[in-house]
């Protein structure tokens, strides 16, 4: 998967509100021979998030984020459609090693939501462990490991993915 997003965020003391349109290019998961016939997909995903942060100590911060994704897929004929919604709830603990280095772990279940809810209301669960280094106030680098448990719409098939992620974050 490759993805790009531009996020706009409004912050107050403990709350932030974000609008983050994503552009994703995904490849099918290969679990059975019929999956080899599936095409890769382009997805446009306008997303809104609300996040609450609580500083627990000088080094530890807890974050809770609730979001909604409106997913628009490129069909095999090139048109856009097959819209789906998805709700996300992320719980995260962050440890500030120093002013430039942070490690964190997060748990995030995702549930299919209107419109066009598929047969599986549970979409996936993501467990993420990551390291972030801030080179400047405008540029940071994040790398991490994500374990993703995904339920297919068949309701009897599950995929488990081991993902190494890299993020380059530019702030204006």
């Amino acid at each position: 998967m490759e993805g790009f997003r531009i996020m706009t965020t409004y912050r107050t003391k403990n709350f932030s509100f974000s609008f983050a349109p994503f552009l994703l290019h995904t490849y099918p998961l290969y679990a059975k021979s019929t999956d080899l016939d599936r095409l890769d997909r382009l997805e446009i995903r306008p997303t809104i998030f609300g996040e609450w942060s609580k500083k627990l100590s000088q080094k530890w911060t807890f974050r809770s984020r609730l979001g909604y994704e409106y997913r628009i897929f490129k069909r095999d004929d090139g048109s856009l459609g097959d819209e789906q919604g998805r709700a996300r709830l992320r719980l995260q603990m962050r440890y500030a090693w120093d002013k430039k280095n942070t490690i964190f772990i997060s748990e995030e279940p995702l549930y299919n939501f209107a419109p066009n809810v598929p047969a599986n209301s549970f979409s996936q669960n993501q467990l993420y462990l990551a390291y972030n280094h801030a080179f400047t106030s405008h540029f940071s680098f994040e790398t991490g490991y994500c374990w993703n448990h995904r339920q297919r719409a068949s309701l009897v098939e599950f995929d488990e993915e081991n993902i190494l992620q890299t993020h380059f974050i530019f702030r204006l």
Side-chain angles (χ1 to χ4, degrees):
M1 171 190 299
E2 300 94 29
F4 302 92
R5 73 176 172 185
I6 296 175
M7 185 180 318
T8 303
T9 303
Y10 173 76
R11 297 184 194 281
T12 64
K13 184 178 179 184
N14 291 334
F15 291 93
S16 64
F17 304 93
S18 302
F19 173 67
F22 287 79
L23 177 63
L24 299 167
H25 177 243
T26 59
Y27 299 91
L29 297 171
Y30 300 120
K32 55 189 188 285
S33 59
T34 56
D35 291 336
L36 297 171
D37 297 327
R38 295 177 57 208
L39 299 174
D40 54 330
R41 294 186 94 173
L42 180 71
E43 179 183 346
I44 300 168
R45 189 187 296 175
T47 304
I48 56 171
F49 293 115
E51 183 173 81
W52 174 72
S53 296
K54 174 68 175 165
K55 197 150 182 69
L56 303 175
S57 70
Q58 186 175 350
K59 299 267 186 187
W60 289 96
T61 302
F62 172 76
R63 291 183 176 178
S64 177
R65 182 179 79 177
L66 180 63
Y68 175 78
E69 301 173 334
Y70 186 79
R71 305 171 73 199
I72 307 163
F73 297 97
K74 184 176 179 184
R75 297 179 180 128
D76 294 344
D77 67 4
S79 65
L80 294 174
D82 301 331
E83 295 89 352
Q84 292 181 352
R86 191 161 63 182
R88 306 174 70 128
L89 174 63
R90 183 182 75 187
L91 304 174
Q92 184 180 87
M93 286 296 295
R94 300 177 69 86
Y95 178 77
W97 193 278
D98 56 32
K99 289 185 179 189
K100 293 191 175 274
N101 299 288
T102 303
I103 55 174
F104 57 91
I105 188 166
S106 63
E107 167 69 15
E108 185 171 21
L110 292 80
Y111 290 90
N112 293 316
F113 206 72
N116 304 322
V117 179
N120 58 325
S121 60
F122 170 77
S123 175
Q124 57 189 280
N125 186 58
Q126 299 176 350
L127 181 62
Y128 186 51
L129 175 63
Y131 163 76
N132 180 285
H133 177 76
F135 290 98
T136 70
S137 61
H138 298 285
F139 175 66
S140 63
F141 169 79
E142 183 178 302
T143 186
Y145 166 77
C146 180
W147 178 77
N148 191 15
H149 175 78
R150 182 187 315 242
Q151 182 181 27
R152 293 190 180 201
S154 67
L155 302 178
V156 295
E157 295 174 290
F158 295 88
D159 294 296
E160 293 185 351
E161 302 168 291
N162 294 292
I163 306 160
L164 295 176
Q165 291 183 325
T166 302
H167 303 272
F168 298 98
I169 304 162
F170 300 93
R171 293 179 186 86
L172 300 177

